[in-house]
Amino acid sequence: MTSPVSPTTPSRPRFDAIDATRGVALAAMATYHALWDLGALRLTPENYALTPLGRVAAHGIAGSFLILVGVGLVLMNGARFAARPFALRLARIAGAALLVTGATVLTDPAHYIFFGILHCIAVASVLALPFVRRLPVWSAGLGGLAILAAPHFVSADWLDAPVLAFLGLGRGTPQTNDYVPLMPWAGLVLIGVALARAGLPAFAGSRAGGWRARGRLARGLTFAGRHSLAVYLIHQPVLMGFFTGLVTLTGPHPQAGVAEFRALYVRNCTATGGEVGACTAAASCVSDAFRREGLWADRPRSFTVEERLKAQALSQACYEAAEGTAPAP
């Protein structure tokens, strides 16, 4: 498989189509993070990034990156092990992962990132090396499937220990803003290795393999894909800074926190024996009453004794109204 850059240059292959695909994944990631930031800063009624659809999108985006990591490992080391480039790449990724951990320890210690996607990429890249050249192609695919399936067959409470949480085999989910444990996610790196080893020779001679980025958008995506680590590290501080400035000008969305409040109210109400329908109706009544009486805040806050008694009375009146035993407050 020859390099698309120059048939006489002994550099590793570089395909615009693969770089552009990585750029598309970066754009999707930035869009998801923007959605998360909007919700976290209360610029939207709720954090849509944390909805079931948002979580599916997040998993799809992370999965695409990890598959592309496997493809990149084959492009870098398929012909021969490129020890120096691999070591430099690994050092950059591991250093960036440590930077993310340090930054989040300072900014959000309760949910700091101890094993996010960069940590997973660094460790999985090392674990995948034997599958890139020495082991047969089928072993990469089989190993990837085994790692993907592992959490469904291996799980234990003792694997929730902090020093073992990176494996992903515990029964709980750590409180962290980005959790990409080795199992199942490293399996996608091996799937990428298998796909690349099996398909790159044919891809190199195909129309897609020979495609060159020419338009402004295509060149931008390709450029981003070739500098994906820098884009990853820079984009979130830029987005958060922009939206933080925006919320200081506009204030939070008028409905921010309402859906979260109502869902929490229903859970607490039903847990204490309330009927689901009445609890749901009461939740809407209470949120409206809190706004009317000046008790509402878009984020949880402490009540004074007087406010707490007033809130309890409103909640009780709303539930009785939902049951039909009293008029709405």
Side-chain angles (χ1 to χ4, degrees):
M1 182 169 61
T2 58
S3 168
V5 177
S6 168
T8 60
T9 302
S11 59
R12 64 182 184 270
R14 190 103 224 182
F15 298 103
D16 280 8
I18 292 177
D19 288 328
T21 301
R22 194 179 292 111
V24 170
L26 283 167
M29 174 197 66
T31 301
Y32 174 82
H33 284 164
L35 192 65
W36 191 94
D37 294 343
L38 288 168
L41 293 171
R42 304 289 183 166
L43 282 163
T44 51
E46 61 180 298
N47 196 329
Y48 296 112
L50 301 180
T51 62
L53 183 59
R55 294 184 188 280
V56 169
H59 289 170
I61 294 166
S64 69
F65 271 110
L66 293 169
I67 290 173
L68 287 167
V69 166
V71 173
L73 286 172
V74 174
L75 287 172
M76 176 184 283
N77 305 288
R80 62 183 179 83
F81 177 48
R84 187 172 183 276
F86 177 82
L88 290 174
R89 170 186 173 276
L90 183 63
R92 286 194 298 269
I93 295 172
L98 291 176
L99 180 64
V100 168
T101 295
T104 54
V105 165
L106 293 175
T107 58
D108 192 2
H111 305 92
Y112 79 95
I113 299 171
F114 67 90
F115 205 82
I117 192 164
L118 291 180
H119 305 72
C120 183
I121 288 174
V123 176
S125 295
V126 175
L127 296 178
L129 270 183
F131 297 91
V132 172
R133 295 181 63 244
R134 295 186 178 278
L135 297 174
V137 176
W138 61 263
S139 67
L142 187 61
L145 292 175
I147 293 174
L148 288 171
H152 298 285
F153 297 97
V154 180
S155 181
D157 291 333
W158 62 272
L159 290 169
D160 283 317
V163 295
L164 298 175
F166 74 97
L167 293 173
L169 297 176
R171 289 179 177 158
T173 301
Q175 295 299 309
T176 174
N177 284 329
D178 185 25
Y179 182 51
V180 187
L182 282 180
M183 300 184 193
W185 295 102
L188 292 175
V189 175
L190 290 185
I191 295 296
V193 168
L195 291 173
R197 290 185 63 185
L200 276 177
F203 177 81
S206 70
R207 186 173 180 179
W211 176 78
R212 294 294 175 269
R214 288 187 168 81
R216 185 174 297 178
L217 176 61
R219 289 199 305 270
L221 290 172
T222 302
F223 178 83
R226 290 178 179 175
H227 301 86
S228 55
L229 182 58
V231 173
Y232 179 86
L233 291 175
I234 293 170
H235 84 282
Q236 180 65 319
V238 171
L239 287 172
M240 183 59 80
F242 172 77
F243 290 128
T244 300
L246 181 62
V247 76
T248 61
L249 296 175
T250 65
H253 191 282
Q255 294 296 312
V258 172
E260 180 184 357
F261 172 87
R262 290 177 179 176
L264 180 61
Y265 184 96
V266 171
R267 285 199 300 272
N268 291 338
C269 179
T270 54
T272 55
E275 191 269 330
V276 175
C279 289
T280 302
S284 297
C285 171
V286 171
S287 63
D288 293 340
F290 277 18
R291 286 176 177 276
R292 188 174 63 250
E293 299 296 329
L295 297 174
W296 178 258
D298 63 297
R299 296 178 184 274
R301 69 175 180 87
S302 298
F303 282 168
T304 65
V305 174
E306 182 181 348
E307 287 176 330
R308 186 178 298 110
L309 292 173
K310 188 174 184 180
Q312 290 172 346
L314 287 171
S315 178
Q316 182 65 31
C318 280
Y319 186 79
E320 290 175 356
E323 285 187 315
T325 58

